[in-house]
C-alpha cells in the first residue's frame, strides 16, 4: 500500500512531499525503494477527525502527515490483525486491574502484618507513664480483686524474692509494683499491666510448691512489661480495628477495642512469639539469680491439669504447648544446682 503525504525529518520544520509504502509484512518504507524505516505495529495512527490531515509519529523522530483517510483507516485495521486489537487492550487493562487489586491486597496485608505491629511498638514506647498509671488504676478497679489471704510471712517472702529478681538483673525496682491479691472468680492467674503493676493471685500461688514456680511466673510477666508486650497487643488490636473500620466503614469494632487492655491481656493473651520471648528472657532473669526456669514448666503442667475450662487461668492468656515446656526444661538444665 502506498500513501501520499509529507515527510518531516523532525529536525527542520520544512516537510518534503513523498510516499509512505507499507508492505504485506507490516514494514514501512520512506520511499518506494530502500530499507524499511519502521514497523507498522509500532506506529500510532490517530483516529480520523473530519478531514484533518493525520500525523504519524515514528520513534526515530520522523513524522508523516497524510490526508488519505481511507488508506490510513485500512492501516489501522491491519495493525489490529498484527496484534493490537481492542480485545487485547482490554485484556491488558484487565490484567493491570488484577495486578493492581493483588498489590492492594498485599499492601493491606503488609500493613496489617508488619505496619501495625511497628506502629503499635512506636506508640507503646511513646505513651507517657502517667497515662499508663491511669490505665492501670482503671483496669485494677474493674477486676474483682480482693486482699490476699496468704499469711503475711509468705507475702513478705514473695515480695523479697521479687525484689531480688529485679536487683540481680539490674532492673529498676521503682518501675514495678507487685500486688498480691485474691480473686476466686478469676482463678489461678497472674498478669502484668504496662505501667509495671504486676498482679499475682493467691489462687495461682496455691498451685505452687516452690519459690521458683511463682517467681518464674513473675519473671515472665516482668519481660512482658519490659518489652511492653501488653501495650503493644492492645494497640495492635486498636490499630487493626481502625484499619478494619477504614475498609468496612463499621466503627463498632474500633470503639470496642480501643484501650480495653484488661480484656486483651486477660482473655486474648499474647501472641505465640511474644510468649516465646517472655519465656526465653524470663528464664535468663531466673538463671541470673540462681533460680531454676524449668520449674515454670512444672507449673504449666500442673495448671493444665487444673484448668477446668470455665475459669480463665494463667494458661488461658499464656497458652503453653510442648515446645514451650521443652524450651523451659532445656533452659533449666543450665540452672545452678545450689538451691
Ligand atoms: Zn506471657
Amino acid at each position: 500500500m502506498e500513501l501520499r503525504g509529507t515527510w518531516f525529518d523532525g529536525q527542520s520544520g520544512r516537510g518534503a512531499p513523498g510516499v509512505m509504502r507499507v508492505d504485506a509484512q507490516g514494514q514501512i518504507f520512506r520511499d518506494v525503494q530502500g530499507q524499511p524505516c519502521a514497523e507498522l505495529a509500532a506506529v500510532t495512527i490517530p483516529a480520523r477527525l473530519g478531514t484533518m490531515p493525520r500525523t504519524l509519529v515514528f520513534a526515530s523522530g520522523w513524522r508523516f502527515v497524510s490526508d488519505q483517510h481511507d488508506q490510513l483507516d485500512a492501516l489501522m485495521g491491519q495493525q489490529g490483525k498484527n496484534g493490537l486489537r481492542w480485545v487485547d487492550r482490554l485484556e491488558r487493562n484487565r490484567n493491570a486491574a488484577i495486578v493492581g487489586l493483588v498489590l492492594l491486597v498485599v499492601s493491606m496485608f503488609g500493613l496489617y502484618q508488619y505496619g501495625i505491629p511497628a506502629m503499635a511498638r512506636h506508640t507503646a514506647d511513646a505513651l507517657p507513664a502517667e497515662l499508663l498509671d491511669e490505665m492501670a488504676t482503671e483496669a485494677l478497679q474493674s477486676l474483682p480483686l480482693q486482699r490476699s489471704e496468704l499469711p503475711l510471712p509468705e507475702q513478705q517472702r514473695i515480695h523479697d524474692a521479687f525484689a531480688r529478681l529485679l536487683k540481680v538483673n539490674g532492673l529498676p525496682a521503682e518501675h514495678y509494683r507487685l500486688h498480691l491479691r485474691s480473686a476466686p472468680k478469676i482463678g489461678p492467674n497472674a498478669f502484668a499491666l504496662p505501667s509495671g503493676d504486676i498482679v499475682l493471685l493467691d489462687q495461682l500461688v496455691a498451685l505452687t510448691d516452690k519459690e521458683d514456680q511463682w517467681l518464674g511466673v513473675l519473671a515472665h510477666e516482668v519481660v512482658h512489661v519490659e518489652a511492653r508486650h501488653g501495650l503493644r497487643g492492645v494497640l495492635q488490636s486498636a490499630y487493626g480495628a481502625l484499619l478494619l473500620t477504614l475498609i468496612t466503614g463499621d466503627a463498632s469494632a474500633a470503639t470496642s477495642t480501643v484501650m480495653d487492655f484488661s480484656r486483651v491481656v486477660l482473655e486474648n493473651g499474647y501472641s505465640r512469639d511474644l510468649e516465646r520471648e517472655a519465656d526465653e528472657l524470663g528464664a535468663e532473669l531466673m538463671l541470673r539469680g540462681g533460680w531454676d526456669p524449668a520449674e515454670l514448666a512444672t507449673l504449666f503442667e500442673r495448671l493444665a491439669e487444673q484448668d477446668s475450662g470455665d475459669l480463665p487461668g494463667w494458661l488461658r492468656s499464656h497458652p503453653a504447648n510442648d515446645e514451650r515446656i521443652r524450651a523451659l526444661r532445656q533452659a533449666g538444665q543450665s540452672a545452678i544446682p545450689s538451691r
Side-chain angles (χ1 to χ4, degrees), residues 7-8 20 28 30 37-40 42-44 56-64:
W7 281 104
F8 292 86
M20 183 179 90
I28 296 177
R30 214 145 36 219
C37 65
E39 303 230 339
L40 177 60
V43 178
T44 307
L56 280 61
V57 180
F58 295 83
S60 58
W62 279 76
R63 282 174 296 140
F64 183 70

Side-chain angles (χ1 to χ4, degrees), residues 23 46 68 189 192 250 263 274 331 333:
D23 72 7
Q68 293 201 286
N189 216 324
D250 177 11
R263 189 184 61 77
L274 296 187
Q333 283 174 1

Side-chain angles (χ1 to χ4, degrees), residues 57-116:
V57 180
F58 295 83
S60 58
W62 279 76
R63 282 174 296 140
F64 183 70
V65 181
S66 174
D67 59 359
Q68 293 201 286
H69 295 298
D70 290 342
Q71 283 96 325
L72 286 168
D73 287 347
L75 285 180
M76 285 177 89
Q78 202 174 322
Q79 278 186 330
K81 269 183 242 136
N82 288 341
L84 263 172
R85 286 164 306 159
W86 65 272
V87 191
D88 292 332
R89 288 188 195 184
L90 195 70
E91 192 75 7
R92 280 180 203 192
N93 286 343
R94 203 186 62 154
N95 288 345
I98 291 173
V99 168
L101 190 65
V102 167
L103 282 179
L104 181 70
V105 169
V106 166
S107 57
M108 277 298 186
F109 179 77
L111 181 62
Y112 199 84
Q113 191 74 6
Y114 304 105
I116 286 180

Side-chain angles (χ1 to χ4, degrees), residues 259-308:
M259 295 301 146
D260 189 3
F261 66 58
S262 60
R263 189 184 61 77
V264 171
V265 170
L266 272 180
E267 288 170 31
N268 294 17
Y270 301 97
S271 75
R272 198 178 295 185
D273 286 344
L274 296 187
E275 281 309 299
R276 198 179 303 125
E277 192 177 313
D279 277 348
E280 281 172 15
L281 299 178
E284 285 177 24
L285 299 184
M286 292 288 282
L287 286 170
R288 274 186 214 117
W291 290 285
D292 184 1
E295 287 296 335
L296 186 56
T298 307
L299 180 61
F300 276 151
E301 286 166 344
R302 206 168 297 159
L303 274 162
E305 283 165 27
Q306 286 278 324
D307 199 16
S308 57

Side-chain angles (χ1 to χ4, degrees), residues 12-13 24 38 49 57 60 96-97 101 120 134 141 164 170 212 231 236 263-264 288 328 331:
S12 76
L49 204 68
V57 180
S60 58
L101 190 65
E134 220 168 282
Q141 281 170 355
R164 200 164 81 77
D212 307 58
L231 202 52
Q236 248 173 60
R263 189 184 61 77
V264 171
R288 274 186 214 117
L328 282 166

Side-chain angles (χ1 to χ4, degrees), residues 129 131-143 145 175-179 190-200 221-232 234 259-266 270 318:
L131 179 63
L132 298 184
D133 285 343
E134 220 168 282
M135 288 159 79
T137 308
E138 208 162 295
L140 289 175
Q141 281 170 355
S142 73
L143 295 168
L145 302 176
H175 285 185
Y176 290 89
R177 281 172 301 270
L178 175 61
H179 307 271
F191 55 90
L193 298 175
S195 51
D197 290 276
I198 295 179
V199 178
L200 177 65
E221 294 294 343
V222 163
V223 177
H224 280 320
V225 174
E226 284 295 312
R228 302 209 154 189
H229 285 165
L231 202 52
R232 273 156 60 181
V234 179
M259 295 301 146
D260 189 3
F261 66 58
S262 60
R263 189 184 61 77
V264 171
V265 170
L266 272 180
Y270 301 97
H318 300 74

